[in-house]
Amino acid sequence: MFWVVALFALAVAVALGASMNDGYVLIVLPPWRVEVSLNFLLLALLLAFVVFYALLRALSLTFGMPQRVVEYRRRRQREKSGQIFQDAVRFLFEGRFGQALKRAGEAYEAGRAPALAALIAARAAQRLGEPKRQQEWLDKAKQQDARNESATLMLEAEMLNEARRFHEALRVLQRLQQREGRHIAALRLELRARQGSGDWDGALKLLRQLAKRDALPADMVRPLATKAHLANLARCGDDRDALIAYLRQVPADERGVEVVLAAAKGLAAAAADDEAQRLIEGMLDQDDEEVWQSELVSIYGRLGGGDQMSRIARGETWLRQRPDHAGLLLALGRMCVRQRLWGKAQSYLEASLSVEETQAGHLELARLGDQLERVDEANRHYRAAVRPDNGEK
């Protein structure tokens, strides 16, 4: 509205100015003489300018036509290559890896983000199980743009992990670390490679770093740490000194039931009964239901060396809290047998069978009957032990 009003106002002003202007212009070019009004001259100059401008524009458009055609074709080619690149990404996420590989190759040839197109082609070739073409595309991606080297190394490490070539993946991640440092995604890949290569100490170190940064779900940290500790304990075997030294460096929050159980078995096999006793007692004193459902009580009852009476006293303390725990009653019976406390041993073993009938309970009572020369009673328990409904414990 403002511009329309302004335009009409300008037209009115021009008309009024022209009507009030009586000037004229005299042009003399012998032998000619021309006299025109000033208004007409101004209008003619304006018209001449418009015609001259239109002529220049027409000439510019005419001579610039070939260049515009070239630019149009380039623009169309860029649009087409962009669509091809988008198709390659879409096919990759759709799982149509053959089509993704084809489209990525076309985008690469068209010069549309060639480094990224090569990475897409490498991933598609890897999914198709074509390692030779995969490596070719990775090499092309590295050659195209130095800025994409980190992305190339990340993809290469991930694909090596998936191919279970963990040592090669670690070497690639080392090159990435030298270039970019250690970011969270690279640490996750390195954790997988450390686990696959059996470097459990390195895996534990990375796991703690990731947990500190909240880069892993809490429900994943504990199982992974447990797996690493179990592997390291298995490597220690029945080497008493190695087991004790390793346990000292395990943080308290990583000493789960499975770790303590594996350590206790190793210590018992290495005849380190005192260390196994302290370890098991520390766990059972926590009064955790998961701990009491494990084999720790059974191992505790089988420990042969050390102070048996102190173990019996500790077991009876636990029994006041868990009077119906069949495993604890069985363990107390075994310890009493070693101390030749025949009456208490028989009482605990029979109480264990009354709670849960097990093969181990019948066998202990059968052996006790042999020692006390109670042949009929021993035979009865031997027969009960071989019944299929009695599980070994």
Side-chain angles (χ1 to χ4, degrees):
M1 289 290 293
F2 172 79
W3 287 110
V4 169
V5 172
L7 182 63
F8 276 103
L10 179 62
V12 171
V14 170
L16 289 175
S19 64
M20 297 173 61
N21 184 14
D22 295 330
Y24 66 91
V25 176
L26 180 64
I27 302 174
V28 179
L29 186 62
W32 294 283
R33 178 188 180 93
V34 179
E35 183 178 337
V36 295
S37 67
L38 181 60
N39 292 334
F40 178 78
L41 179 63
L42 293 175
L43 183 61
L45 288 174
L46 180 62
L47 183 60
F49 173 78
V50 171
V51 172
F52 181 70
Y53 178 77
L55 181 61
L56 289 179
R57 288 292 296 171
L59 291 173
S60 175
L61 290 173
T62 302
F63 289 109
M65 185 67 71
Q67 182 63 30
R68 285 196 301 278
V69 171
V70 171
E71 291 178 357
Y72 172 77
R73 288 177 177 175
R74 288 176 180 172
R75 186 169 60 253
R76 289 288 297 172
Q77 186 177 7
R78 285 196 300 269
E79 292 174 357
K80 184 178 179 181
S81 62
Q83 185 61 49
I84 292 173
F85 183 83
Q86 293 178 24
D87 289 342
V89 176
R90 178 168 57 84
F91 287 141
L92 181 68
F93 284 113
E94 288 178 357
R96 299 162 67 180
F97 303 117
Q99 290 292 329
L101 180 58
K102 179 181 177 182
R103 289 294 188 180
E106 293 175 0
Y108 179 85
E109 295 298 332
R112 183 70 176 191
L116 294 178
L119 289 177
I120 294 173
R123 169 59 87 179
Q126 186 254 348
R127 294 298 191 189
L128 290 170
E130 300 182 12
K132 185 177 179 181
R133 296 179 71 182
Q134 169 192 335
Q135 192 59 49
E136 289 176 356
W137 282 112
L138 279 175
D139 293 338
K140 289 179 180 179
K142 294 175 184 177
Q143 296 167 4
Q144 281 298 320
D145 193 343
R147 294 175 300 176
N148 291 314
E149 183 179 358
S150 298
T152 304
L153 292 173
M154 281 289 292
L155 180 61
E156 186 176 5
E158 183 179 351
M159 291 191 295
L160 288 171
N161 270 345
E162 292 176 2
R164 306 186 66 80
R165 294 159 60 184
F166 301 113
H167 293 286
E168 296 177 48
L170 287 173
R171 288 194 290 271
V172 171
L173 288 169
Q174 186 177 8
R175 296 204 305 271
L176 177 65
Q177 179 182 347
Q178 293 171 354
R179 177 179 174 84
E180 295 289 337
R182 308 181 79 182
H183 54 83
I184 289 177
L187 288 177
R188 287 198 186 107
L189 286 178
E190 186 178 351
L191 175 62
R192 176 72 182 94
R194 296 282 180 194
Q195 289 177 309
S197 63
D199 182 8
W200 296 107
D201 290 328
L204 278 170
K205 184 178 178 181
L206 287 170
L207 187 62
R208 290 162 185 160
Q209 290 179 10
L210 289 168
K212 190 175 181 180
R213 300 185 187 183
D214 293 328
L216 283 178
D219 57 350
M220 284 183 59
V221 175
R222 187 67 176 269
L224 290 175
T226 298
K227 184 178 180 180
H229 287 308
L230 291 177
N232 282 335
L233 287 170
R235 189 178 299 165
C236 293
D238 57 358
D239 187 336
R240 171 177 175 164
D241 295 335
L243 285 168
I244 295 173
Y246 184 78
L247 285 172
R248 286 174 181 168
Q249 66 182 12
V250 178
D253 59 343
E254 295 179 6
R255 289 194 177 194
V257 179
E258 295 179 60
V259 174
V260 172
L261 180 59
K265 288 180 178 179
L267 291 170
D273 295 325
D274 292 337
E275 287 78 6
Q277 176 183 345
R278 286 192 291 271
L279 184 65
I280 295 173
E281 288 175 351
M283 286 296 292
L284 294 177
D285 284 341
Q286 296 178 13
D287 198 27
D288 187 346
E289 191 63 33
E290 183 183 2
V291 175
W292 282 95
Q293 290 177 357
S294 67
E295 300 178 41
L296 285 175
V297 177
S298 179
I299 296 174
Y300 190 78
R302 291 193 181 98
L303 296 177
D307 188 357
Q308 291 287 335
M309 293 305 298
S310 68
R311 292 178 195 153
I312 293 174
R314 180 65 69 92
E316 290 174 341
T317 302
W318 294 328
L319 189 63
R320 286 193 288 271
Q321 301 171 357
R322 297 175 177 271
D324 295 328
H325 195 286
L328 178 56
L329 290 166
L330 179 59
L332 283 168
R334 285 169 171 165
M335 290 186 286
C336 288
V337 168
R338 291 193 196 92
Q339 293 301 110
R340 297 181 178 274
L341 302 174
W342 310 123
K344 291 183 70 173
Q346 183 173 359
S347 175
Y348 282 134
L349 293 173
E350 289 176 348
S352 175
L353 287 178
S354 68
V355 175
E356 181 182 0
E357 193 169 357
T358 61
Q359 185 184 71
H362 282 294
L363 285 174
E364 292 295 337
L365 278 171
R367 296 188 187 106
L368 180 61
D370 286 338
Q371 290 183 355
L372 298 178
E373 297 182 354
R374 299 173 183 172
V375 179
D376 293 338
E377 185 177 340
N379 289 336
R380 178 168 58 85
H381 284 292
Y382 277 128
R383 288 193 297 271
V386 298
R387 288 205 305 264
D389 57 337
N390 285 327
E392 185 177 358
K393 190 170 183 179

